[in-house]
């Protein structure tokens, strides 16, 4: 079968035959992308307000990233970490400079980064005579490995027990809950400054500052998971920069490589000193190809002034949505930072996502009743207007359908 004869339905049929059934996929098979737009195999065009789940921050196939990948692939792709490479050294230096932290470890994904952060935190805690307990937040999401699901929702743990011990989950934005759980058995507190999968829940500034003070006082490692909210997504390089709170460890992935798998753990010198040779490792992490993509991504964000533009676009989008929708439409709240925005409704948002898809817009439902918008940071004003129109028309269509059903 040649490429021109593929259909969405045929590729989905083959996918269901061969792939492990772990995803509830949208009924599309995407073939190419450019900027904030993608096309399926049948040639239909869509505005992408999901960006590969906050991955394609520069949009799809940004020319500078594509060129960097092509050039590096022609020179050197993989060497293992028995050796250093120029792209890895340059990326490590860049991340230290941007973050204000001291050390970098490069991985392949967000879950790997969080797993590594937990290891570093526990190693440091053990040098200080503390236990290895990890405190995480309700509605958090840190990955799908055993340790990371132990930090998250119970429904993701079902069927995979026994869970690793010494993980404690507490309410988000609740300082007293932290005080109640902290003792000498706790090694670290891990949280997302802006929760993504949990529904775009933004940490309170006073909460993060108080956490920093508590961790300093108790000698507990503070870990910020910025896998989704980092790399300019919120209008700053990292969401922590909105709060002027520095963690001991920060994790990155998603937007770092513009779609090439790459993650990072950044740590301060205090906790980094606990790590010895052989304490952690990776085969593929930090390979020259991934590092070249990440470097091009960071340089392009800076050169195109995307921090300022993301703040401005996020303000426009929230203002437009606030004007277009009201509580009569079932809207409860619009929240978020930069172009990481959640619309909470009083109904399940999965049907809303499918209505939007019918209107040529890709988005995502999370936390049952939240519409998550994480479009490419290069989305244009015209495309923002298209997005708002699609949301408004889709909400109206759902409301009409519900009204008709209630009369019948």
């Amino acid at each position: 079968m040649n490429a021109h004869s593929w259909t969405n339905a045929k590729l989905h049929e083959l996918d269901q035959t061969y792939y492990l059934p772990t995803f509830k996929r949208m009924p599309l098979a995407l073939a190419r992308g450019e900027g904030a737009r993608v096309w399926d195999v049948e040639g239909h065009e869509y505005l992408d307000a999901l960006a590969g789940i906050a991955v394609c921050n520069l949009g799809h196939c940004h020319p500078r990233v594509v060129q960097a990948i092509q050039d590096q692939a022609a020179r050197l792709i993989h060497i293992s970490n028995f050796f250093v490479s120029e792209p890895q050294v340059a990326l490590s230096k860049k991340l230290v400079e941007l973050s204000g932290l001291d050390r970098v470890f490069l991985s392949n994904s967000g879950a790997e980064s969080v797993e590594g952060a937990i290891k570093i935190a526990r190693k440091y805690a053990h040098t200080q005579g503390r236990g290895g307990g990890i405190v995480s937040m309700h509605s958090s999401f840190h990955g799908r490995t055993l340790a990371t699901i132990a930090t998250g929702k119970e429904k993701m743990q079902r069927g995979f027990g026994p869970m690793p011990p010494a993980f404690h989950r507490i309410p988000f934005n609740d300082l007293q809950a932290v005080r109640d759980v902290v003792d000498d058995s706790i090694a670290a507190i891990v949280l997302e400054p802006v929760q993504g999968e949990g529904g775009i829940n933004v940490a309170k500034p006073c909460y993060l500052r108080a956490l920093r003070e508590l961790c300093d006082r108790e000698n507990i490692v503070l870990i910020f998971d910025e896998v989704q909210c980092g790399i300019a997504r919120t209008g700053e390089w990292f969401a922590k920069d909105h709060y002027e709170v520095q963690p001991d460890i920060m994790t990155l992935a998603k937007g770092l490589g513009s779609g090439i798998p790459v993650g990072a753990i950044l740590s301060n010198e205090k906790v980094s000193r606990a790590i010895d040779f052989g304490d952690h490792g990776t085969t593929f992490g930090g390979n020259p190809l991934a590092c070249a993509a990440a470097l091009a991504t960071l340089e392009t964000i800076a050169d195109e002034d995307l921090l300022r533009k993301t703040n401005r676009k996020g303000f426009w989008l929230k203002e437009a949505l606030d004007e277009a929708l009201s509580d009569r439409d079932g809207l409860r709240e619009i929240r978020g930072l930069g172009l990481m925005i959640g619309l909470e409704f009083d109904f399940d948002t999965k049907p809303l996502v499918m209505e939007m898809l019918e209107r040529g817009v890709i988005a995502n439902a999370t936390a049952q009743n939240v519409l998550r918008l994480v479009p490419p940071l290069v989305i244009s004003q015209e495309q923002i207007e298209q997005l708002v129109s699609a949301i408004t028309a889709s909400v109206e269509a759902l409301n009409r359908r519900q009204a008709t059903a209630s009369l019948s």
Side-chain angles (χ1 to χ4, degrees), residues 68-329:
I69 293 169
Q70 290 174 337
D71 290 347
Q72 187 61 50
R75 288 195 300 269
L76 189 66
I77 295 175
H78 178 76
I79 55 175
S80 90
N81 282 295
F82 284 125
F83 310 94
V84 297
S85 69
E86 182 181 349
Q88 188 184 100
V89 171
L91 177 60
S92 299
K93 181 175 183 289
K94 187 72 171 178
L95 287 172
V96 164
E97 291 170 348
L98 291 175
S99 69
L101 292 162
D102 301 308
R103 297 283 181 172
V104 177
F105 182 91
L106 296 170
S107 68
N108 305 285
S109 68
E112 282 184 57
S113 296
V114 175
E115 285 262 5
I118 291 170
K119 285 181 67 177
I120 295 169
R122 282 183 164 174
K123 185 70 185 297
Y124 172 77
H126 293 161
T127 68
Q128 304 298 304
R130 302 187 65 87
I134 306 296
V135 176
S136 61
M137 307 298 152
H138 292 170
S139 300
S140 67
F141 180 83
H142 299 291
R144 294 181 184 272
T145 60
L146 276 176
T148 53
I149 65 172
T151 67
K153 300 175 184 177
E154 288 184 7
K155 72 175 185 178
M156 291 187 177
Q157 301 174 8
R158 291 178 196 143
F160 300 108
M163 284 294 105
F167 285 84
H168 313 271
R169 292 180 297 114
I170 61 174
F172 185 55
N173 272 328
D174 185 341
L175 187 61
Q176 188 56 52
V178 181
R179 292 187 180 123
D180 289 344
V181 76
V182 162
D183 57 27
D184 289 343
S185 70
I186 301 302
I189 298 170
V190 57
L191 75 155
E192 305 151 272
V194 183
Q195 292 184 329
E197 295 292 325
I200 316 297
N201 305 309
V202 182
K204 298 175 183 176
C206 59
Y207 176 67
L208 291 191
R209 287 194 291 268
L211 276 184
R212 179 69 276 174
E213 292 172 3
L214 183 149
C215 288
D216 286 340
R217 185 169 61 250
E218 301 291 337
N219 201 17
I220 291 171
V221 177
L222 181 60
I223 304 171
F224 284 175
D225 178 346
E226 297 230 16
V227 167
Q228 188 165 155
C229 60
I231 315 299
R233 170 56 54 188
T234 66
E236 296 283 356
W237 277 112
F238 312 105
K240 72 180 181 67
D241 298 334
H242 289 280
Y243 302 92
E244 298 183 347
V245 174
Q246 187 75 309
D248 298 298
I249 303 176
M250 179 171 66
T251 60
L252 303 172
K254 288 192 180 287
L256 181 57
S258 292
I260 295 296
V262 58
I265 309 164
L266 293 98
S267 52
N268 62 25
E269 193 62 33
K270 181 183 78 171
V271 301
S272 300
R273 283 195 297 266
I275 296 298
D276 296 321
F277 292 117
D279 276 348
H280 199 49
T282 174
T283 296
F284 295 108
N287 69 66
L289 186 69
C291 290
L295 270 172
T297 298
L298 298 176
E299 290 167 356
T300 304
I301 289 170
D303 291 347
E304 295 189 3
D305 194 22
L306 287 183
L307 300 184
R308 181 182 63 84
K309 291 177 181 177
T310 298
N311 273 313
R312 185 177 65 189
K313 291 173 184 179
F315 176 79
W316 288 343
L317 179 52
K318 284 188 282 190
E319 284 286 296
L321 290 167
D322 191 51
E323 291 178 8
L325 299 168
S326 69
D327 55 2
R328 293 190 302 276
D329 301 304

Side-chain angles (χ1 to χ4, degrees), residues 326-340:
S326 69
D327 55 2
R328 293 190 302 276
D329 301 304
L331 180 68
R332 290 176 176 170
E333 184 181 12
I334 301 171
R335 54 182 180 257
L337 294 173
L339 283 171
M340 187 174 180

